[in-house]
C-alpha cells in the first residue's frame, strides 16, 4: 500500500505522540513519506523525537478556538487519537480527571475534526479494557462491551462516540487494541518490569522480582505491528472497528520464565509473590480475535511472542 495520496505529501496528526504508540506511529508514517504532526501535553515534547520540532504541538483539547485553528493550519487527512490518561485511580477527583481527559477531550477533538476537516479520517485507540472481565474468550468486535474500570468505561464511551460520528457520515473508526508492548513500554507494565528487573538481577543490582498474579493471561503483541494496523484502518474503503491482537494468550509466568531462561536465570529462585500486587477478579483470559482485520485488511503481525521478548530484552541490555 502507498500513502494513499499520490503526487503530494500526506499529512497526519497524532495525539499522544510522545507515548509508546506515538513513537512507532510517527516512525511508520515518516517512513511512508507523511508530513507528521504530533500533539501532546507540555513537558513531554522532547519525547516526540521522530517528529520535526516545528511539528510538535501542545494545544489543549479543551481550548476550542486554539484547537480549530491548529486543525485548519495543519489540515491533516488522517488523525490518530492516541492521547489518554491511564493511571491507576484511587480517588473520585482522579476519576473525574480521567473522564474529562479521555471522554470529553475525545468528544472535543472528534467534533472539531468533523466540523473543520469533514473529509479527514479519524482513528481512535480503544482498548481491550472495554470488555472488562469477559464471559468468553477470545473477544471479537461483537463481544459485549462491559467495562469494569473507569478507564475502561471512558474507552468504551469513546468507542461508542466514534460509532455515533460514523453514523453521521464521518470516516471514524475505533481500534480495539489488546496489550501491546515494546522496548518503549513504561516500567509500570508487567512486561517491562520483568525485563528490567531480570537484567538487574543478572547484573547483581537486584535480588528479587516481586509480582502479583502469575496466572493472569494476556494477549501480548508488538506495538510496532499495532500502529501499522491502525494505519491500515484509515486506508480502507470504509470505516470499521477492528480488534487488534495476536490471538494468543500467555500467562505472566510464561513471560517471566522466558525472560529468565534467556538470561540463564532460574525464575523460582528470585520470584516473590506480593499479595498487594494481585488484582482481584480476572476470570476469562483476555485474548483477542484478530481474524477480521487479517481478512479485511491483510494485516500480519511481524513479531510473535518470543520475538517480542527478544526485542525488549535486547533493547534493555543495550541501554543499560
Ligand atoms: P494491563 O493489562 O493494562 O493491566 O497491563 P499490565 O502489564 O499492568 O498487567 C498485565 C497483567 O499482569 C495483569 O493481569 C496483572 O494483574 C498482572 N501482573 C502481575 N504482577 C504484576 C505487577 O507486578 N505489575 C503489573 N503491572 N501487573 C502485574
Amino acid at each position: 500500500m502507498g500513502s494513499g495520496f499520490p503526487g503530494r505529501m500526506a499529512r497526519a496528526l497524532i495525539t499522544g505522540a510522545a507515548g509508546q504508540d506515538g513513537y512507532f506511529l510517527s516512525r511508520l508514517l515518516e517512513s511512508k513519506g507523511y508530513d507528521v504532526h504530533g500533539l501532546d501535553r507540555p513537558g513531554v515534547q522532547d519525547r516526540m523525537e521522530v517528529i520535526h520540532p516545528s511539528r510538535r504541538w501542545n494545544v489543549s483539547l479543551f481550548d476550542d478556538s486554539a484547537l480549530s485553528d491548529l486543525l485548519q493550519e495543519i489540515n491533516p487527512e488522517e488523525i490518530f487519537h492516541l492521547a489518554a490518561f491511564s493511571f491507576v485511580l484511587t480517588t473520585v477527583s482522579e476519576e473525574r480527571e480521567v473522564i474529562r481527559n479521555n471522554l470529553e477531550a475525545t468528544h472535543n477533538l472528534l467534533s472539531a475534526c468533523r466540523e473543520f476537516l469533514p473529509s479527514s479520517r479519524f482513528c481512535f485507540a480503544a482498548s481491550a479494557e472495554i470488555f472488562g472481565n469477559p464471559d468468553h474468550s477470545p473477544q471479537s468486535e461483537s463481544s459485549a462491551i462491559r467495562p469494569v474500570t473507569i478507564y475502561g468505561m471512558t474507552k468504551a464511551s469513546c468507542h461508542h462516540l466514534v460509532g455515533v460520528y460514523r453514523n453521521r457520515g464521518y470516516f471514524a473508526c475505533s481500534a480495539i487494541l489488546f496489550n501491546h508492548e515494546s522496548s518503549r513500554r513504561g516500567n509500570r507494565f508487567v512486561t517491562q518490569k520483568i525485563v528490567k528487573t531480570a537484567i538487574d538481577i543478572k547484573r547483581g543490582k537486584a535480588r528479587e522480582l516481586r509480582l502479583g498474579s502469575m496466572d493472569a493471561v494476556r494477549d501480548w503483541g508488538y506495538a510496532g505491528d499495532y500502529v501499522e494496523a491502525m494505519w491500515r484502518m484509515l486506508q480502507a474503503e470504509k470505516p470499521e472497528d477492528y480488534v487488534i491482537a495476536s490471538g494468543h494468550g500467555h500467562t505472566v509466568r510464561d513471560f517471566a520464565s522466558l525472560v529468565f531462561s534467556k538470561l540463564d536465570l532460574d525464575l523460582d529462585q528470585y520470584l516473590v509473590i506480593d499479595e498487594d500486587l494481585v488484582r482481584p477478579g480476572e476470570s476469562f483470559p483476555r485474548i483477542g480475535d484478530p481474524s477480521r482485520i487479517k481478512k479485511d485488511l491483510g494485516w500480519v503481525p511481524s513479531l510473535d511472542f518470543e520475538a517480542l521478548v527478544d526485542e525488549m530484552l535486547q533493547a534493555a541490555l543495550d541501554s543499560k
Side-chain angles (χ1 to χ4, degrees):
M1 273 190 252
S3 75
F5 301 92
R8 69 171 175 73
M9 215 179 215
R11 285 176 302 272
L13 172 64
I14 304 170
T15 73
Q20 168 187 258
D21 297 356
Y23 168 80
F24 284 105
L25 185 56
S26 328
R27 230 177 48 170
L28 176 78
L29 297 181
E30 292 276 356
S31 77
K32 291 184 181 298
Y34 278 69
D35 182 9
V36 183
H37 292 255
L39 183 69
D40 217 310
R41 57 188 199 281
V44 295
Q45 302 286 309
D46 56 347
R47 282 198 252 145
M48 291 191 246
E49 72 254 38
V50 184
I51 298 175
H52 190 275
S54 67
R55 287 163 171 69
R56 299 179 196 166
W57 307 93
N58 63 24
V59 165
S60 162
L61 296 179
F62 295 104
D63 184 339
D64 291 340
S65 83
L67 182 59
S68 65
D69 286 352
L70 180 70
L71 292 177
Q72 290 172 94
E73 187 185 330
I74 301 174
N75 195 19
E77 287 90 358
E78 296 177 17
I79 298 104
F80 296 88
H81 180 39
L82 313 181
F85 273 46
S86 66
F87 53 84
V88 180
L89 310 178
T90 50
T91 67
V92 171
S93 76
E94 284 171 350
E95 292 187 350
R96 200 175 291 134
E97 271 296 283
V98 166
I99 291 169
R100 195 172 120 80
N101 280 289
N102 292 1
L103 182 50
E104 287 183 35
T106 300
H107 180 248
N108 285 355
L109 180 65
L110 197 46
S111 58
C113 287
R114 179 172 179 250
E115 184 178 353
F116 298 107
L117 309 167
S119 55
S120 64
R121 296 178 167 208
F122 189 100
C123 182
F124 170 67
S127 155
E129 287 268 330
I130 70 173
F131 299 126
N133 292 327
D135 56 12
H136 64 274
S137 192
Q139 296 93 54
S140 71
E141 293 80 3
S142 52
S143 296
I145 296 178
R146 270 195 301 250
V148 293
T149 60
I150 295 292
Y151 171 77
M153 181 280 290
T154 63
K155 286 283 177 179
S157 302
C158 293
H159 173 83
H160 290 312
L161 195 59
V162 163
V164 169
Y165 273 77
R166 184 164 60 228
N167 250 321
R168 295 177 180 174
Y170 182 52
F171 193 116
C173 46
S174 175
I176 307 166
L177 301 160
F178 280 64
N179 294 53
H180 47 290
E181 321 291 307
S182 74
S183 48
R184 291 236 153 198
R185 196 54 150 153
N187 293 335
R188 75 184 170 84
F189 291 90
V190 79
T191 51
Q192 192 71 289
K193 177 176 172 180
I194 292 169
V195 166
K196 297 251 169 98
T197 311
I199 292 175
D200 282 348
I201 290 173
K202 183 78 184 173
R203 295 186 171 157
K205 293 188 200 156
R207 288 159 180 240
E208 59 181 34
L209 171 64
R210 298 185 86 82
L211 292 175
S213 170
M214 297 301 286
D215 299 324
V217 174
R218 285 290 184 272
D219 177 333
W220 281 295
Y222 174 53
D225 290 329
Y226 287 37
V227 301
E228 205 253 344
M230 286 195 269
W231 174 77
R232 279 179 187 257
M233 286 170 64
L234 292 197
Q235 316 312 307
E237 256 168 53
K238 52 187 175 66
E240 296 264 4
D241 300 333
Y242 287 101
V243 159
I244 303 174
S246 79
H248 303 286
H250 295 273
T251 61
V252 172
R253 180 176 287 282
D254 292 336
F255 193 97
S257 302
L258 189 55
V259 169
F260 275 67
S261 74
K262 282 180 182 285
L263 293 172
D264 288 321
L265 294 170
D266 174 12
L267 173 64
D268 291 322
Q269 219 181 305
Y270 302 98
L271 179 64
V272 177
I273 301 298
D274 184 338
E275 290 304 321
D276 290 343
L277 295 171
V278 174
R279 297 187 204 164
E282 296 193 359
S283 48
F284 275 79
R286 199 190 281 171
I287 301 172
D289 174 2
S291 331
R292 187 159 156 193
I293 190 162
K294 287 187 168 178
K295 179 170 158 284
D296 289 3
L297 305 183
W299 178 64
V300 184
S302 67
L303 297 193
D304 66 8
F305 181 67
E306 184 164 0
L308 169 66
V309 168
D310 287 338
E311 191 270 346
M312 295 184 72
L313 206 46
Q314 198 53 54
L317 284 166
D318 290 346
S319 75
K320 285 203 164 194

